[in-house]
Amino acid sequence: MPRFVYNLNSFFLLISIGLFCSRSFAADLFLDGVAAVVGDSPILFSDVKKLKAEVSMTPLLAQAYRIEPKNVTDSQVLDRLIEEKIVRIETRALEIRVSDAEVENQLKSIAKQNGITRAQLEASLKAEKISIDVHKENIRSQLERRDLFDRVLRRGGGVSEEELRKIFFESAPKELKIFALSVRNNELARKNFEALKLRVDTGKAPFREIVAQSGAEEVGWVSMDQLDPKVAKILSDAKAGQAYGPMEIKGVLQLIFVDSLRAGSEESFQAKKNELMVRAQSEDFESRFSFWLESKKRELHIVVNTK
């Protein structure tokens, strides 16, 4: 059975087969249980059970939902259904609508990309136990997601402070607050530095007391990329409250005291904020849309029940 290639503009990924399939709540509400409520919209346990069975039997559907078909859990399926509800709520609030003509054009485009006719596409979907009507709704949903992405996340920046901070602190360079002693290299200075380091290593006195008595100069907070490569290599596994050296850098002998460590800082975040904004705006659809969905889950009133 052929697998289809989907391409909607530059970021339209795999069509999420089965997304937003119409489900009836009114008749089942009294015979079923409510698995979750998103806003004022319920998700029934029967919805979870039905989708779980479909995902287990249809690899293409499982791929669209980003679920391993052999290890499907109720919580995975429920999470995907909650995401559907969130997107539906937002598209309705923003009055995002996709015409039948747009859906049909995309359907023809998918067939063309795969080198088959529209009739052959429909036959292939039928063999996958996916009706053309459901497939059309899936295309409509993905087009709505595209429009939602453009409206909320792309136009006018649309990158929240929270998103920028997440991007920054996930890969923020290690920063160290250091003090340093620096003198012209000679045998006496080296022996003095070695003695100071031994005092720190053996805990003869509190670290900061030793630093203060040594007369070391406070360098402040520095990131690894600001240090001389030789120093950065020595401090790559540095720990707070330790001394490193003596080391000779261009004829100067140095002893480095590492006072504190941190992964990124508010100052470095602010300095890189504009750069991060450009990066975030160019991020791919999937990662940015997933982040937006997680943010919405925290904003909306979502109640999840367990049997």
Side-chain angles (χ1 to χ4, degrees):
M1 186 56 57
R3 289 290 180 267
F4 302 122
V5 176
Y6 297 96
N7 181 22
L8 177 58
N9 297 331
S10 62
F11 66 85
F12 184 37
L13 306 179
L14 179 71
I15 292 291
S16 297
I17 304 296
L19 292 182
F20 301 116
C21 298
S22 59
R23 306 173 192 277
S24 172
F25 298 111
D28 297 328
L29 200 53
F30 298 103
L31 304 176
D32 203 347
V34 178
V37 178
V38 182
D40 58 359
S41 184
I43 298 171
L44 303 181
F45 281 114
S46 60
D47 294 320
V48 176
K49 182 179 179 180
K50 180 176 183 292
L51 182 57
K52 184 178 180 181
E54 291 171 350
V55 166
S56 299
M57 294 186 297
T58 313
L60 188 60
L61 181 61
Q63 185 182 359
Y65 274 101
R66 308 182 306 282
I67 294 175
E68 170 55 50
K70 294 181 181 179
N71 300 297
V72 186
T73 66
D74 289 351
S75 62
Q76 287 175 317
V77 174
L78 179 58
D79 196 52
R80 297 300 180 270
L81 291 173
I82 288 172
E83 290 178 2
E84 292 180 17
K85 291 291 185 185
I86 291 171
V87 174
R88 178 61 67 191
I89 289 168
E90 293 299 313
T91 53
R92 284 177 177 170
L94 293 171
E95 297 184 343
I96 292 174
R97 295 184 180 86
V98 174
S99 68
D100 292 342
E102 288 180 273
V103 173
E104 187 60 34
N105 287 338
Q106 187 58 37
L107 198 62
K108 291 176 181 177
S109 177
I110 292 169
K112 185 177 180 180
Q113 290 169 33
N114 289 276
I116 57 177
T117 65
R118 189 190 179 293
Q120 288 172 322
L121 172 62
E122 189 167 342
S124 295
L125 290 169
K126 186 176 181 180
E128 291 276 0
K129 300 180 181 179
I130 301 170
S131 75
I132 191 64
D133 289 336
V134 168
H135 191 53
K136 283 181 177 180
E137 285 307 303
N138 294 323
I139 291 174
R140 189 186 307 279
S141 298
Q142 284 295 66
L143 290 171
E144 287 173 345
R145 285 186 171 215
R146 175 204 63 185
D147 292 346
L148 182 59
F149 179 82
D150 282 342
R151 183 86 64 87
V152 175
L153 298 176
R154 179 171 286 169
R155 293 177 185 169
V159 184
S160 68
E161 182 92 354
E162 181 186 7
E163 186 175 0
L164 291 178
R165 287 183 182 279
K166 179 175 183 290
I167 293 169
F168 174 74
F169 284 103
E170 278 181 347
S171 59
K174 181 167 66 175
E175 295 183 355
L176 306 88
K177 184 179 182 181
I178 63 175
F179 293 77
L181 281 171
S182 304
V183 298
R184 187 175 297 277
N185 190 13
N186 59 68
E187 190 61 28
L188 179 59
R190 183 173 288 274
K191 286 182 178 180
N192 288 336
F193 280 8
E194 287 173 350
L196 273 171
K197 184 176 186 303
L198 184 61
R199 288 186 69 199
V200 173
D201 292 346
T202 56
K204 293 293 185 182
F207 173 79
R208 290 184 178 176
E209 181 180 307
I210 295 174
V211 173
Q213 291 175 351
S214 72
E217 179 185 358
E218 181 177 351
V219 178
W221 287 101
V222 296
S223 60
M224 299 299 286
D225 57 3
Q226 292 175 302
L227 296 170
D228 180 281
K230 184 177 179 179
V231 178
K233 184 177 181 180
I234 292 172
L235 299 181
S236 60
D237 295 319
K239 295 179 175 60
Q242 296 294 317
Y244 296 85
M247 63 191 84
E248 183 182 349
I249 308 294
K250 298 177 181 178
V252 176
L253 194 67
Q254 292 188 331
L255 184 65
I256 305 294
F257 299 95
V258 178
D259 181 84
S260 309
L261 298 172
R262 67 187 183 191
S265 64
E266 182 63 25
E267 294 86 348
S268 51
F269 168 69
Q270 293 298 333
K272 289 183 173 291
K273 197 169 180 179
N274 289 338
E275 177 186 331
L276 292 167
M277 179 71 75
V278 173
R279 175 181 160 190
Q281 288 174 338
S282 63
E283 283 287 313
D284 64 280
F285 169 79
E286 187 67 22
S287 63
R288 290 204 62 208
F289 204 85
S290 294
F291 181 86
W292 177 83
L293 279 171
E294 290 303 315
S295 298
K296 281 295 175 183
K297 287 176 185 178
R298 293 191 293 271
E299 289 177 20
L300 291 172
H301 181 62
I302 299 175
V303 178
V304 177
N305 299 323
T306 56
K307 284 188 175 181

